[in-house]
Amino acid sequence: MGNYHLTHLKELESEAIYVLREVAAQFERPVLLFSGGKDSIVLVHLSRKAFYPARIPFPLLHIDTGHNFPETIEFRDRMARSVDARLLVGSVQESIDTGRAVEEKGINASRNVLQTVTLLDAIEVNKFDAAIGGARRDEEKARAKERFFSHRDEFGQWDPKNQRPELWYMFNGKKRMGEHFRVFPISNWTEMDVWQYILAENIDLPSIYFTHERDVFHRDGVWLAAAPFMEMKPSEKVEYRRVRCRTVGDISCTGLTLSSADTVEDIIQEIAATRVTERGGRYDDKRSEAAMEDRKKEGYF
Amino acid sequence: MELLRFTTAGSVDDGKSTLIGRLLYDSKSIFEDQLDAVKRASVQKGSEHINLALFTDGLRAEREQGITIDVAYRYFATPNRKFIIADTPGHIQYTRNMVTGASTANAAIVLIDARNGVIEQTHRHTFIAALLGIPHIIVCINKMDLMDFREEVYTSIKNDYQAFASQIFPGQDMRFIPISALKGDNVVKPSENMSWYTDGTLLHHLESIPISQDHDLKNQRFPVQYVIRPESDEFHDYRGYAGRVAGGFFHPGDKIVVHPSGIESEIVAVDTLSGPLAEAHPPMSVTLTLKDDVDISRGDMITGVGAIPRQSCDITTMICWMNQKPLQLNGKYALKHTTKDVRCIIQDIDYVLNISTLEKMTENKAIRMNDIARIRLRTTKPLCFDPYTTNRITGSLILIDETTNETVAAGMIV
Ligand SMILES: Nc1nc2c(ncn2[C@@H]2O[C@H](COP(=O)(O)OP(=O)(O)OP(=O)(O)O)[C@@H](O)[C@H]2O)c(=O)[nH]1
Ligand SMILES: [Mg+2]
């Protein structure tokens, strides 16, 4: 008998693989929500582990706001090819063009919220019955409350006051027609766990996670990337700075960190010393105290 | 680094969420933006100081009502341990969520309000913790600030609790700490108000309790979760059985039996993406390949040839009932056990437990929400199982209402 304790990373990995296999076993049409951000990249990596030597038994779905960092899109396509997975793209622009979603106006306009419409449409059209996401409970206080297998009614809504009990590792994925599940295999991982895992497994990431120079401007304590579609106030001015992304989302709400970290080791050190959460730089959460809970109830990621 | 999962337990308003907030705050695990948000929310509610419970009570409804409704998971680390905290609700209406948080815990912190002492909900949560087989119990006698930090208050509650707990958990690892979650006494910092207590702070205990092996390392248990058939040229004839080891050690060359078919074979390899392993143990997720081409599917169990699990359609189990709709005697339910899905019929109710007196009420055939009972059921297909006290994975089951799809009971096989 050897050493039978797993390190915390190995234990979290094993838990996530178990959850992914449950999805493949319990659902007919699962899909993995792939944003090109680090958490979804880790999910793809874990999916390869879960089903090796077979291919990943579900497609990847990117909900594309059209307002992306080009590096993420290029990375997304390359990754899908390298794991030989089918990549589907749901376009927020298309939802706007067909009148399903209405573009926000004004200074803080973002397409982040509109993603919900595109996502729910993609789930309905493709008849997906489980959507696997990379959300983690340490990210936000409403997410801290969510189950691994999170039920959604026929309108895609989450009912946080009435979640099913989830006992041990027995996941109840039973549902009626038209309902679906959101499944979060890395629920129990922290931001630090994700980075340590990326380091340990030598996982490739888009370049925007590492330091680079870019046109940015400062708004309410957050650095945002200057892009043609970003409306700016007269008082805001573009500066050229060394930055990196701590999280990656739609360009209009992704805060950038002033940083010179250019390796995963540097990033781990930076995160160990930081005093703000990774979503502290996300503009979408600053809208109100319960912004995330409200979006989630509507069917957001 | 090792991982310790712990849960809170105790009655409503005993201070569970406040304690977790205090623990995170004093161990410097709160980020500035989280602190700012909680400060703002506290001021908004007219509170003079920061309301520590808001670090975990994050839902709108929870903040409106000032209670916890569902489990919140929080994470923190000290130099040698990582912790996953499940802060659960004390309100009896949400017992199902307490069971959810407690079902995966290695340790439970049971809170008792020093003003009220041991009450029925303390009994219920203690009993559930015992049923779930949580290996370590830390009893925190809270709100000592409201009882002038008097030692006799602590001692008397400790004695009461021990008298109750020794009936249900003989030999249990149990520690007692007098605290004030609100003021911080004995949470991370030793109390200046209770010099009579010298057995260490809560954080000290969390860092030092031995992380007991929760798993059964003796008997080989491998519930097959998913069959891997690559259908590629390179792995043309590959057939792997994916799953998470639920007991014992598995090695290439081990002789095994597949249940329920009884077919015997031998392990060829323990596969992972990073290469084959010499050994797999709980709770590793791996893929086994076998020497013979046998018919195996999800829900089957691979074990060693020696100590095989029990196999039967007749199951006796303790249950926590978690639904508004009472259990239907002779009713049919869907049942999940490891990776197996079957249906079952409820054949008999042995007893319902009176949570305060621990009396087994054998005449009582009505099981309502939050009741703890022992029942007998019969499954459509045989289950391969162990008693829950031997193996928490192969000894547990859940019942599902087939009309609503809700999980209605947690079962611990006896
Ligand atoms: N004086 C004093 N008050 C406390 C202490 N701990 C908690 N409280 C107060 O007790 C009340 C309830 O605290 P919570 O932490 O919300 O209780 P809880 O156990 O989490 O309640 P539920 O989750 O709803 O079961 C709050 O008003 C707290 O401020 C303490 O040590 N001393
Ligand atoms: Mg609480």
Side-chain angles (χ1 to χ4, degrees):
Chain A
M1 258 174 29
N3 179 11
Y4 50 77
H5 279 295
L6 293 185
T7 64
H8 76 282
L9 281 184
K10 281 285 173 200
E11 185 166 340
L12 291 172
E13 177 192 69
S14 164
E15 177 178 278
I17 290 175
Y18 177 84
V19 176
L20 286 163
R21 288 169 171 170
E22 276 306 291
V23 175
Q26 290 198 34
F27 296 96
E28 279 169 29
R29 297 177 68 85
V31 67
L32 188 151
L33 302 176
F34 184 70
S35 67
K38 67 177 189 315
D39 300 310
S40 60
I41 291 168
V42 165
L43 271 188
V44 172
H45 184 78
L46 290 163
S47 302
R48 282 181 63 216
K49 290 203 168 201
F51 303 105
Y52 169 84
R55 288 167 54 204
I56 300 173
F58 32 76
L60 313 182
L61 171 65
H62 180 219
I63 300 302
D64 181 359
T65 61
H67 292 172
N68 300 291
F69 293 96
E71 298 91 330
T72 340
I73 298 299
E74 183 259 329
F75 187 92
R76 171 196 84 183
D77 295 342
R78 190 150 45 86
M79 178 140 199
R81 267 196 311 274
S82 78
V83 301
D84 196 14
R86 194 154 63 96
L87 174 70
L88 307 169
V89 178
S91 155
V92 174
Q93 185 64 52
E94 208 173 290
S95 303
I96 294 169
D97 293 345
T98 54
R100 302 273 304 140
V102 179
E103 182 110 70
E104 293 182 352
K105 293 208 174 62
I107 279 292
N108 287 326
S110 164
R111 289 184 166 182
N112 188 51
V113 188
L114 306 188
Q115 293 182 96
T116 302
V117 175
T118 314
L119 172 62
L120 292 178
D121 283 352
I123 288 173
E124 195 175 321
V125 169
N126 293 286
K127 299 198 165 50
F128 291 129
D129 52 3
I132 305 162
R136 310 187 321 265
R137 287 166 175 162
D138 84 321
E139 277 181 80
E140 204 282 331
K141 60 188 180 306
R143 291 203 156 147
K145 297 269 163 182
E146 196 151 20
R147 305 280 191 253
F148 278 97
F149 269 44
S150 187
H151 181 256
R152 293 291 183 277
D153 69 12
E154 64 269 47
F155 302 104
Q157 299 180 102
W158 181 49
D159 183 2
K161 274 180 72 178
N162 207 6
Q163 299 192 84
R164 289 182 187 174
E166 192 164 84
L167 304 151
W168 301 285
Y169 290 98
M170 261 180 282
F171 301 119
N172 173 3
K174 291 188 194 296
K175 56 173 174 22
R176 297 205 183 95
M177 278 276 286
E179 299 176 341
H180 74 275
F181 274 81
R182 298 289 171 85
V183 182
F184 305 106
I186 58 168
S187 287
N188 278 332
W189 299 41
T190 62
E191 181 189 20
M192 185 56 110
D193 296 329
V194 170
W195 283 106
Q196 287 178 342
Y197 189 72
I198 288 168
L199 179 66
E201 298 281 314
N202 197 12
I203 297 171
D204 199 19
L205 290 181
S207 55
I208 48 171
Y209 279 107
F210 302 95
T211 188
H212 58 281
E213 285 178 307
R214 163 181 309 270
D215 282 337
V216 295
F217 65 96
H218 206 228
R219 176 181 294 169
D220 300 341
V222 178
W223 289 98
L224 294 167
F229 47 80
M230 295 279 282
E231 213 175 306
M232 288 173 58
K233 298 178 196 164
S235 57
E236 293 166 342
K237 60 176 196 303
V238 173
E239 299 172 43
Y240 195 59
R241 295 280 200 139
R242 286 199 80 75
V243 293
R244 67 173 205 90
C245 291
R246 197 166 156 198
T247 71
V248 170
D250 178 280
I251 251 190
S252 63
C253 62
T254 301
L256 302 159
T257 311
L258 298 179
S259 163
S260 55
D262 64 359
T263 62
V264 176
E265 285 93 335
D266 289 349
I267 292 175
I268 289 176
Q269 273 186 7
E270 190 178 286
I271 290 167
T274 183
R275 299 307 311 148
V276 288
T277 63
E278 72 184 311
R279 295 200 80 92
R282 285 289 285 250
Y283 220 81
D284 43 335
D285 292 341
K286 299 213 164 192
R287 294 187 167 197
S288 89
E289 250 309 281
M292 176 63 92
E293 179 180 344
D294 294 343
R295 272 181 294 155
K296 285 185 70 64
K297 282 181 186 159
E298 303 286 311
Y300 186 72
F301 299 107
Chain B
M1 239 182 350
E2 288 180 321
L3 196 58
L4 177 77
R5 298 176 197 245
F6 69 89
T7 181
T8 58
S11 188
V12 67
D13 278 353
D14 281 354
K16 297 178 291 299
S17 303
T18 306
L19 174 64
I20 297 310
R22 170 59 69 188
L23 191 60
L24 294 169
Y25 185 75
D26 283 0
S27 65
K28 313 243 173 331
S29 313
I30 302 282
F31 292 96
E32 278 164 15
D33 51 318
Q34 292 173 323
L35 184 60
D36 288 346
V38 165
K39 276 186 183 155
R40 271 197 309 273
S42 304
V43 170
Q44 194 124 40
K45 291 190 72 179
S47 170
E48 290 159 22
H49 45 80
I50 51 170
N51 181 345
L52 295 165
L54 298 185
F55 287 116
T56 59
D57 290 343
L59 297 177
R60 258 182 208 284
E62 292 178 325
R63 292 185 170 193
E64 274 161 28
Q65 297 170 42
I67 60 164
T68 306
I69 292 174
D70 210 332
V71 204
Y73 293 91
R74 294 302 306 256
Y75 305 81
F76 79 108
T78 57
N80 29 28
R81 256 184 201 180
K82 267 201 69 101
F83 299 94
I84 299 183
I85 310 171
D87 179 36
T88 71
H91 197 292
I92 184 161
Q93 189 185 338
Y94 304 115
T95 304
R96 61 179 189 276
N97 297 332
M98 179 271 173
V99 183
T100 293
S103 68
T104 51
N106 313 101
I109 302 179
V110 178
L111 269 86
I112 301 174
D113 185 329
R115 296 172 303 175
N116 307 331
V118 177
I119 57 177
E120 178 178 309
Q121 194 65 348
T122 323
H123 288 164
R124 176 173 282 105
H125 280 190
T126 300
F127 199 89
I128 292 171
L131 260 186
L132 289 170
I134 298 178
H136 307 280
I137 303 289
I138 303 173
V139 183
C140 288
I141 293 145
N142 187 31
K143 308 198 187 181
M144 288 299 290
D145 54 303
L146 298 179
M147 300 301 280
D148 303 323
F149 299 103
R150 289 202 314 269
E151 183 173 11
E152 61 280 13
V153 172
Y154 165 76
T155 313
S156 130
I157 294 173
K158 178 178 169 179
N159 291 341
D160 280 357
Y161 187 88
Q162 265 173 330
F164 176 78
S166 61
Q167 299 172 66
I168 51 174
F169 281 127
Q172 171 75 21
D173 172 24
M174 205 179 290
R175 300 133 195 258
F176 294 84
I177 314 175
I179 65 165
S180 168
L182 190 68
K183 313 274 183 205
D185 296 69
N186 288 334
V187 179
V188 171
K189 298 174 203 148
S191 171
E192 287 169 9
N193 301 304
M194 292 181 277
S195 49
W196 46 265
Y197 172 84
T198 52
D199 287 340
T201 62
L202 174 62
L203 184 62
H204 168 78
H205 284 275
L206 289 171
E207 284 193 288
S208 59
I209 43 178
I211 300 193
S212 69
Q213 249 314 318
D214 235 11
H215 301 286
D216 175 14
L217 296 173
K218 273 215 276 305
N219 307 304
Q220 293 170 294
R221 300 287 183 262
F222 188 85
V224 175
Q225 197 184 357
Y226 189 78
V227 181
I228 294 181
R229 297 292 324 255
E231 324 249 343
S232 65
D233 293 341
E234 191 186 347
F235 294 96
H236 196 267
D237 294 320
Y238 187 94
R239 189 194 284 246
Y241 305 103
R244 201 173 186 194
V245 180
F249 292 77
F250 287 84
H251 314 89
D254 287 355
K255 299 264 184 285
I256 57 95
V257 197
V258 183
H259 306 272
S261 69
I263 295 172
E264 300 195 4
S265 184
E266 187 182 312
I267 296 176
V268 172
V270 178
D271 278 337
T272 70
L273 175 67
S274 3
L277 303 178
E279 178 173 86
H281 58 76
M284 290 165 69
S285 288
V286 296
T287 301
L288 303 180
T289 56
L290 302 182
K291 196 166 188 175
D292 309 283
D293 209 0
V294 286
D295 176 13
I296 302 179
S297 47
R298 174 174 163 88
D300 290 347
M301 180 140 41
I302 296 175
T303 77
V305 288
I308 59 167
R310 275 149 64 189
Q311 185 168 329
S312 174
C313 288
D314 293 300
I315 312 282
T316 304
T317 178
M318 295 297 300
I319 57 163
C320 297
W321 189 256
M322 304 189 291
N323 204 263
Q324 289 287 353
K325 224 160 78 182
L327 172 121
Q328 306 289 311
L329 186 59
N330 298 317
K332 296 191 178 74
Y333 294 89
L335 183 155
K336 269 184 182 288
H337 171 253
T338 67
T339 55
K340 201 176 182 79
D341 280 281
V342 297
R343 299 179 71 215
C344 72
I345 179 163
I346 311 298
Q347 294 210 294
D348 205 0
I349 294 166
D350 286 348
Y351 61 81
V352 180
L353 198 83
N354 177 322
I355 222 63
S356 297
T357 60
L358 298 178
E359 185 196 348
K360 294 169 181 167
M361 300 183 291
T362 49
E363 299 309 305
N364 189 343
K365 301 286 173 185
I367 297 182
R368 293 194 191 82
M369 178 129 126
N370 305 320
D371 278 345
I372 293 168
R374 196 170 90 172
I375 63 167
R376 290 166 195 273
L377 52 86
R378 186 175 181 88
T379 55
T380 46
K381 287 187 201 128
L383 301 185
C384 296
F385 60 92
D386 296 291
Y388 185 81
T389 47
T390 310
N391 190 318
R392 280 171 88 173
I393 302 166
T394 57
S396 51
L397 56 85
I398 60 172
L399 299 181
I400 297 167
D401 182 318
E402 294 184 299
T403 56
T404 62
N405 293 325
E406 285 168 341
T407 304
V408 292
M412 282 112 321
I413 303 174
V414 291

